[in-house]
């Protein structure tokens, strides 16, 4: 059966107090909207439609960037959730199958939950609503369930009476139904309510009028979490991180202090890798198995291979690709560079736009001078090369295989294989100079005090 997911993302998000459209605020380094889009694609939806409105262009750009096949429909005036869904009517006029309504501000709905809803529909329900129980104070719509277990009505908080407000079973907003039926049912929806909006929740009333069976499927309160403010955003981050840490540990990653490690939504780590305290992963990082990431390392856009050792206090930026058993030690920054198998950058270095060969040793304080103020240039360091401490490698430049540089050199010319590159002023020793020099300085000081 073909399936389509419509993600409502047109709302203002006033309570975020932000210039950024609500659905573009990030949890785990990814816009909220992308979390919902991932749910749709992991579920296996054949098509995803994003309904934009507030900040439409910006929202559409992010959605298309994630998945170029995304269809965007615009809701120029936000007249309610049913009105938002109705904007997809034309796009779906030739579509026959199952529809899910998700939300750009409700990021944690699991693909398995959509499967559960789909199953209820296959078992005979015409409209399936996702609900959750909560004991907190809130303003969610309430799900009214009949004695036979079917869903009777959804009452919005603003329109609910005191008795209805005591109900703990709430509407997540997520709905599953048949595409043709969806547009038939929302055609009947009116806006005679406290907000004068076309409520999607009234789809249950329309279905009941046609004697169609509606049911609610339950998920956890966290899964249904909707984000309306920056307080909600921080709570969502907390929930995500707790979930991801658990997932990582269950897959065999060792986290010594889980609460201090932060992951991006797309972080992938192999089993038996050990992550020490206070490590942060930005987007697009993969770590193979049996690596060791020591404390206070900051890693984004990097690939770390088997057995590599990173940190403490290392910074890996986008394009850092570390081969097996390589090492990047304390206070080293690596950007857009390949580090060969067994190669070591152990102390206080900047390596950018560089290709380092296997088993090369990069001495303390080595800097690749990759930027001339206008363009970036490449540094190449051969296999088994030995870079002396405090070398500046002024790119573009190549250090050959098995070659070395003398400490403190500023290398501006290529060094052939197995040669030594030395570029510093020669040393001269002046015998007895230090003793005579300080004698003279002290004499001057005494004379100044005497006023001579
Ligand atoms: C909605 C539900 C409520 C449910 C709650 C769960 C309705 C009428 N109410 O209320 O029962 O408990 O979600 O979080 O559906 N949107 C548009 N266009 C519009 C209006 C809204 O795209 O014209 C989008 C918003 O961007 C948002 C979502 O729909 O992503 C929900 O809208 P919102 O106004 O936040 O509805 P709630 O009051 O939270
Ligand atoms: Ca909401």
């Amino acid at each position: 059966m073909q399936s389509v997911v419509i993600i409502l993302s047109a709302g203002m998000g006033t309570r975020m107090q932000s210039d950024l459209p609500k659905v573009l605020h990030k949890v785990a380094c990814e816009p909220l909207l992308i979390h919902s889009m991932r749910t749709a694609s992991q579920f296996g939806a054949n098509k995803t439609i994003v309904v934009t409105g507030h900040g439409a262009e910006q929202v559409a750009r992010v959605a298309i960037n994630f998945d170029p096949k995304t269809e965007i429909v615009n809701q120029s005036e936000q007249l309610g959730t049913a009105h938002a869904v109705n904007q997809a009517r034309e796009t779906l006029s030739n579509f026959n199958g199952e529809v899910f309504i998700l939300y750009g501000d409700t990021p944690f709905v699991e693909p398995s939950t959509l499967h559960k809803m789909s199953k209820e529909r296959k078992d005979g329900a015409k409209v399936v609503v996702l609900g959750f129980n909560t004991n907190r104070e809130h303003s969610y719509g309430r799900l009214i369930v009949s004695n036979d277990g079917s869903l009777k009505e959804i009452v919005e908080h603003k329109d609910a009476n005191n008795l209805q407000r005591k109900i703990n079973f709430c509407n997540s907003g997520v709905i599953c139904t048949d595409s043709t039926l969806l547009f038939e049912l929302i055609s009947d929806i009116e806006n005679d309510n406290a907000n004068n909006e076309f409520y999607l929740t009234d789809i249950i009333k329309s279905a009941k009028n046609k004697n169609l069976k509606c049911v609610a499927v339950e998920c956890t309160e966290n899964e249904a979490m909707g984000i309306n403010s920056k307080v909600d955003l921080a709570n969502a981050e907390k929930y995500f991180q707790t979930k991801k840490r658990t997932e990582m540990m269950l897959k065999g990653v060792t986290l010594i202090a889980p609460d201090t490690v932060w992951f991006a939504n797309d972080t992938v780590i192999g089993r038996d890798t050990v992550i020490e305290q206070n490590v942060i992963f930005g987007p697009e990082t993969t770590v193979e198995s049996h690596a060791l990431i020591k404390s206070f390392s900051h890693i984004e856009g990097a690939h770390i291979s088997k057995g590599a050792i990173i940190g403490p206090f290392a910074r890996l930026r986008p394009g850092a690709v570390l081969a097996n058993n390589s090492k990047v030690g304390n206070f080293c920054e690596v950007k857009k560079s390949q580090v060969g198998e067994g190669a070591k950058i152990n102390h206080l270095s900047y390596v950018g736009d560089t290709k380092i060969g296997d088993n090369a040793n990069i001495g303390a304080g080595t800097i690749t001078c990759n930027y001339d103020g206008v363009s970036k240039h490449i540094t190449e360091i051969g296999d088994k090369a030995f870079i002396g401490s405090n070398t500046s490698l002024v790119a573009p430049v190549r250090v050959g295989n098995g070659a070395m540089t003398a400490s403190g050199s500023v290398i501006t010319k290529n060094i052939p294989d197995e040669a030594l590159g030395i570029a510093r002023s020669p040393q001269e020793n002046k015998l007895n100079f230090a003793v005579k020099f300080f004698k003279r300085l002290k004499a001057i000081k005494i004379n100044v005090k005497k006023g001579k």
Side-chain angles (χ1 to χ4, degrees):
M1 148 113 34
Q2 295 271 310
S3 61
V4 57
V5 172
I6 302 175
I7 305 177
L8 305 191
S9 302
M12 268 287 278
T14 318
R15 284 168 287 172
M16 290 305 275
Q17 301 287 354
S18 172
D19 296 334
L20 190 69
K22 174 161 80 171
V23 298
L24 299 188
H25 284 269
K26 290 180 180 176
V27 162
C29 306
E30 251 180 10
L32 296 170
L33 171 62
I34 303 301
H35 287 259
S36 297
M37 291 184 72
R38 272 187 199 282
T39 300
S41 78
Q42 286 167 5
F43 170 75
N46 303 91
K47 192 200 278 280
T48 301
I49 301 175
V50 174
V51 181
T52 60
H54 184 70
E57 265 176 47
Q58 225 179 330
V59 173
R61 215 176 306 127
V62 170
I64 298 281
N65 185 46
F66 176 72
D67 177 4
K69 295 194 304 294
T70 311
E71 304 226 18
I72 307 289
V73 297
N74 196 50
Q75 184 196 24
S76 48
E77 258 188 303
Q78 280 78 62
L79 303 179
T81 43
H83 180 256
V85 171
N86 201 42
Q87 308 309 306
R89 184 186 287 268
E90 221 167 285
T91 310
L92 291 178
S93 55
N94 292 320
F95 177 83
N96 225 322
E98 192 167 55
V99 183
F100 291 88
I101 314 294
L102 299 185
Y103 298 81
D105 67 351
T106 307
F108 300 132
V109 177
E110 300 280 349
S112 59
T113 300
L114 301 189
H115 283 294
K116 262 191 240 164
M117 295 174 75
S118 179
K119 183 165 183 306
E120 283 293 338
R121 218 179 61 79
K122 280 173 197 130
D123 290 349
K126 293 297 174 194
V127 181
V128 185
V129 173
L130 184 64
F132 61 98
N133 273 297
T134 180
N135 295 315
R136 287 183 307 126
E137 181 132 348
H138 62 85
S139 57
Y140 290 115
R142 308 302 203 276
L143 298 184
I144 319 253
V145 178
S146 311
N147 291 337
D148 66 0
S150 68
L151 180 61
K152 193 171 151 202
E153 197 185 347
I154 306 178
V155 184
E156 283 305 283
H157 179 80
K158 278 190 185 164
D159 301 301
N161 61 37
N162 283 339
L163 211 63
Q164 289 168 328
R165 284 188 181 185
K166 290 207 169 76
I167 295 171
N168 289 335
F169 196 32
C170 297
N171 178 26
S172 73
V174 177
I175 283 178
C176 168
T177 184
D178 166 87
S179 62
T180 316
L181 180 63
L182 170 71
F183 294 107
E184 233 175 86
L185 293 177
I186 60 176
S187 296
D188 297 345
I189 293 176
E190 312 261 10
N191 64 348
D192 51 352
N193 50 52
N195 272 353
N196 288 330
E197 282 186 12
F198 296 91
Y199 289 166
L200 181 60
T201 45
D202 285 344
I203 194 173
I204 303 301
K205 215 190 293 168
S206 312
K208 287 281 148 182
N209 286 340
K210 293 187 159 65
N211 271 324
L212 302 175
K213 184 180 170 195
C214 304
V215 299
V217 161
E218 190 183 338
C219 70
T220 64
E221 185 176 357
N222 280 328
E223 193 178 338
M225 185 188 300
I227 284 125
N228 293 314
S229 71
K230 286 182 177 163
V231 175
D232 293 342
L233 194 68
N235 283 331
E237 184 73 46
K238 193 172 165 186
Y239 167 71
F240 172 89
Q241 293 298 338
T242 308
K243 191 163 67 104
K244 185 89 176 179
R245 289 163 189 151
T246 307
E247 249 171 58
M248 286 286 183
M249 290 186 283
L250 291 176
K251 282 185 181 158
V253 179
T254 304
L255 303 181
I256 292 170
D259 289 351
T260 69
V261 177
W262 295 74
F263 296 107
N265 197 18
D266 60 359
T267 308
V268 175
I269 302 183
R271 55 189 261 160
D272 287 324
T273 277
V274 176
I275 318 279
E276 290 188 353
Q277 298 88 333
N278 296 295
V279 172
I280 294 176
F281 291 92
E284 292 180 38
T285 292
T286 47
V287 183
E288 295 180 13
S289 57
H290 295 279
L292 170 61
I293 319 268
K294 297 186 180 180
S295 293
F296 298 101
S297 294
H298 189 286
I299 297 164
E300 61 184 318
H303 178 81
I304 298 170
S305 303
K306 203 167 176 177
I309 301 178
I310 313 302
F313 297 99
R315 178 164 186 218
L316 302 184
R317 290 173 51 205
V321 177
L322 276 51
N324 290 354
N325 304 315
S326 56
K327 277 171 93 172
V328 175
N330 37 232
F331 307 107
C332 294
E333 173 180 342
V334 178
K335 182 218 82 168
K336 209 175 177 186
S337 295
Q338 281 163 263
V339 179
E341 207 169 314
K344 293 179 187 139
I345 313 168
N346 273 338
H347 331 271
L348 302 158
S349 284
Y350 171 69
V351 170
D353 304 298
T354 299
K355 186 170 183 291
I356 298 176
D358 294 345
N359 299 308
N361 187 78
I362 312 299
T366 296
I367 305 290
T368 56
C369 311
N370 59 330
Y371 185 49
D372 57 17
V374 178
S375 308
K376 301 280 171 64
H377 302 282
I378 306 279
T379 301
E380 274 183 77
I381 297 171
D383 292 345
K384 292 192 183 142
F386 182 93
I387 308 298
S389 294
N390 197 31
T391 297
S392 299
L393 297 160
V394 182
V397 73
R398 176 182 153 82
V399 179
N401 293 333
M404 64 191 292
T405 71
S407 300
S409 290
V410 177
I411 301 295
T412 55
K413 288 187 275 190
N414 290 351
I415 304 173
D417 289 356
E418 299 180 352
L420 163 72
I422 176 161
R424 62 185 188 208
S425 30
Q427 181 173 333
E428 189 189 342
N429 290 339
K430 297 188 173 182
L431 298 181
N432 245 335
F433 178 92
V435 177
K436 285 192 282 186
F437 179 68
F438 288 119
K439 221 182 222 172
R440 204 170 79 218
L441 289 187
K442 280 174 191 158
I444 292 168
K445 194 171 176 183
I446 291 164
N447 286 339
V448 169
K449 271 193 186 157
K450 286 180 180 161
K452 282 185 188 169

